[in-house]
Amino acid sequence: MKLVNVSMKTASQSSGLNTPSPIAFWFDLVIYISIMFLLREVYFSEFSFITNGLFWSLTTLLVASILMRVRQVSWKEIGLFKPQSYKRALLATGFIFAFTIISILIFQMFKEQLGLQLAPDRSAENAASKFGDLSGNWMLFFSIIPFIWLQSMLEEVLDRGFLINWIEKALSSTWFATIVAVLVQAIIFGFRHSQDVSVRSITVALIGLAMGIGYIAFGRNLWPLIFAHCALNTMSMLERV
């Protein structure tokens, strides 16, 4: 019995030694966020916006993968696992999609009353330079939509899966850490899409906030978020056809 207790104590101490401190996750976050934003200063003009966007996201994914390997965290642990119930996952997808749309509509309705001096959303005007002229061009739509879906998936894995978990761990994984993590990742998500305080950045931040809340509310499974995000981006692209 004594030997068993000693073994358990030794194992516990060993496990403690293998558990990274919050400082280690702060260090990771500095590296991760710095690279995430610095990559966007690199733009290959000979390639399309979609190609550049995938380059940014896939490179960031590589950085996240290295940090996860160092900290011994698996993709399953951050949310890439099979849903226990496909029906519940489908309902979660529908709820997250609807919650996101409603959040955006409420902001659009009351943005004038907020009294904020915001730059207008020019994403629709810039769409042609990013994606090409989609007006009536279904061939172009179907050729680029798989890459839009891939980008949507990468954003959920990186912004919700990785970033929320790492911020929580940096803040010692308390309920307060979870609230901060959801808010901070949404702000980063919005600012990364439009590096200013504008209607565009706030709208995207609201999408990140809705997705973050959905991630926590529905058991930290990333698949409902991925499908909801793909649906949102598909709807956005369809408006331009």
Side-chain angles (χ1 to χ4, degrees), residues 196-218:
D196 54 15
V197 180
S198 63
V199 172
R200 166 72 172 163
S201 62
I202 293 178
T203 300
V204 176
L206 286 172
I207 294 173
L209 182 62
M211 294 291 176
I213 292 171
Y215 177 65
I216 301 301
F218 293 103

Side-chain angles (χ1 to χ4, degrees), residues 37 40-41 49 56 118-123 126 130 155 186-205:
F37 279 97
R40 278 152 182 78
E41 300 301 316
F49 174 78
W56 298 333
L118 300 173
D121 184 356
R122 301 193 181 280
S123 57
N126 299 329
K130 291 181 177 180
E155 287 182 342
I187 293 169
I188 292 173
F189 188 61
F191 187 73
R192 183 161 58 79
H193 279 75
S194 178
Q195 296 184 11
D196 54 15
V197 180
S198 63
V199 172
R200 166 72 172 163
S201 62
I202 293 178
T203 300
V204 176

Side-chain angles (χ1 to χ4, degrees), residues 34 70 93 112 124 157 187 199 216:
S34 298
V70 170
T93 300
E112 302 297 334
V157 169
I187 293 169
V199 172
I216 301 301

